[in-house]
Amino acid sequence: MVQGVEIKDGFIQNVNPATGALITPLVPVSTPDQVAEAITLANRTQQTTWSALPLPKRIELLREGVANIEEIREELIATITKEMGKITAESTDEVDAAIGLKRKWLNMVQEANEDERLGDGTSESVIVRDPLGVVVVISPWNFPAGEIPLLALPALAAGNAVIVKPSEVTPLTGALLTNAIAKALPVGTLQLLQGDGVVGEQLVSSPDVHMVAMTGSSAT
């Protein structure tokens, strides 16, 4: 049991904090083989497909992905409240803020990744920002819809592939949001894994993962 969450027979025992009732459907914990396969696919996709797209095209697809969140807005709001106990008004604010990232915020992300030209009139240098490879995002329970896009979208915009492991306290929220964005992207660009710190440890210790973006405790 981590952070009050029990793993039983390979499934996260996801409990509604307001009622104590078990939330269904139960979410299976990703197996070591599934973790390894996700890392392999992420590296292959990043190297052959995603990073090869021009930056404006990546941003365009990410806008489509964020727009997909609007289609599940009400379900996402209800799931946040059910999983972690946030009142509906706060869940609504969190989801709407995530949807709002598709506008000015993604513009800023694009600008930060553009080539930068420096020169004095007699010579010119160009700063080019290259992707690292595979970025793992481990997100917290208290902002389950807000943190994932803030951590994942800049990494994706830069040409990296991303694997998201949501907090084991809010696995359904993490799945809804991650899968909504992933629908707009090439297969393998943005993937979802589930579990507690055992899964997190396998991800962060892999030599084929090149960066970890994490908000949370070591237990995750």
Side-chain angles (χ1 to χ4, degrees), residues 114-176:
E114 289 174 344
D115 293 349
E116 185 176 353
R117 298 185 178 276
L118 306 173
D120 58 6
T122 60
S123 62
E124 184 180 68
S125 299
V126 181
I127 299 175
V128 178
R129 293 166 175 82
D130 291 329
L132 287 173
V134 175
V135 176
V136 163
V137 168
I138 298 178
S139 60
W141 65 271
N142 54 340
F143 287 95
E147 281 290 305
I148 290 174
L150 287 176
L151 296 173
L153 292 177
L156 290 163
N160 301 290
V162 170
I163 299 172
V164 173
K165 190 202 80 67
S167 167
E168 59 273 24
V169 179
T170 53
L172 293 174
T173 299
L176 280 170

Side-chain angles (χ1 to χ4, degrees), residues 24-210:
T24 56
L26 295 179
V27 175
V29 173
S30 300
T31 65
D33 284 346
Q34 288 172 330
V35 174
E37 289 167 3
I39 294 172
T40 298
L41 177 59
N43 274 282
R44 183 168 64 246
T45 303
Q46 188 274 329
Q47 293 168 10
T48 63
T49 305
W50 183 243
S51 64
L53 293 176
L55 174 61
K57 182 61 177 179
R58 294 198 299 265
I59 293 294
E60 176 188 335
L61 293 175
L62 291 174
R63 287 192 204 281
E64 292 178 15
V66 176
N68 287 341
I69 301 173
E70 296 183 67
E71 299 176 7
I72 57 165
R73 179 179 178 273
E74 297 303 322
E75 183 182 7
L76 193 55
I77 290 168
T79 303
I80 293 172
T81 297
K82 181 169 59 176
E83 283 195 308
M84 57 80 63
K86 189 172 287 190
I87 63 173
T88 299
E90 292 182 356
S91 298
T92 300
D93 288 344
E94 182 176 346
V95 172
D96 287 344
I99 294 170
L101 295 175
K102 69 181 181 180
R103 293 184 282 273
K104 290 183 179 179
W105 191 79
L106 269 179
N107 289 341
M108 291 189 293
V109 170
Q110 179 170 352
E111 288 179 15
N113 282 280
E114 289 174 344
D115 293 349
E116 185 176 353
R117 298 185 178 276
L118 306 173
D120 58 6
T122 60
S123 62
E124 184 180 68
S125 299
V126 181
I127 299 175
V128 178
R129 293 166 175 82
D130 291 329
L132 287 173
V134 175
V135 176
V136 163
V137 168
I138 298 178
S139 60
W141 65 271
N142 54 340
F143 287 95
E147 281 290 305
I148 290 174
L150 287 176
L151 296 173
L153 292 177
L156 290 163
N160 301 290
V162 170
I163 299 172
V164 173
K165 190 202 80 67
S167 167
E168 59 273 24
V169 179
T170 53
L172 293 174
T173 299
L176 280 170
L177 188 135
T178 302
N179 290 334
I181 298 173
K183 282 197 309 181
L185 311 179
V187 174
T189 304
L190 176 60
Q191 298 179 79
L192 173 76
L193 295 172
Q194 297 280 14
D196 57 9
V198 174
V199 175
E201 182 178 5
Q202 186 180 352
L203 284 167
V204 303
S205 63
S206 170
D208 296 317
V209 167
H210 308 100

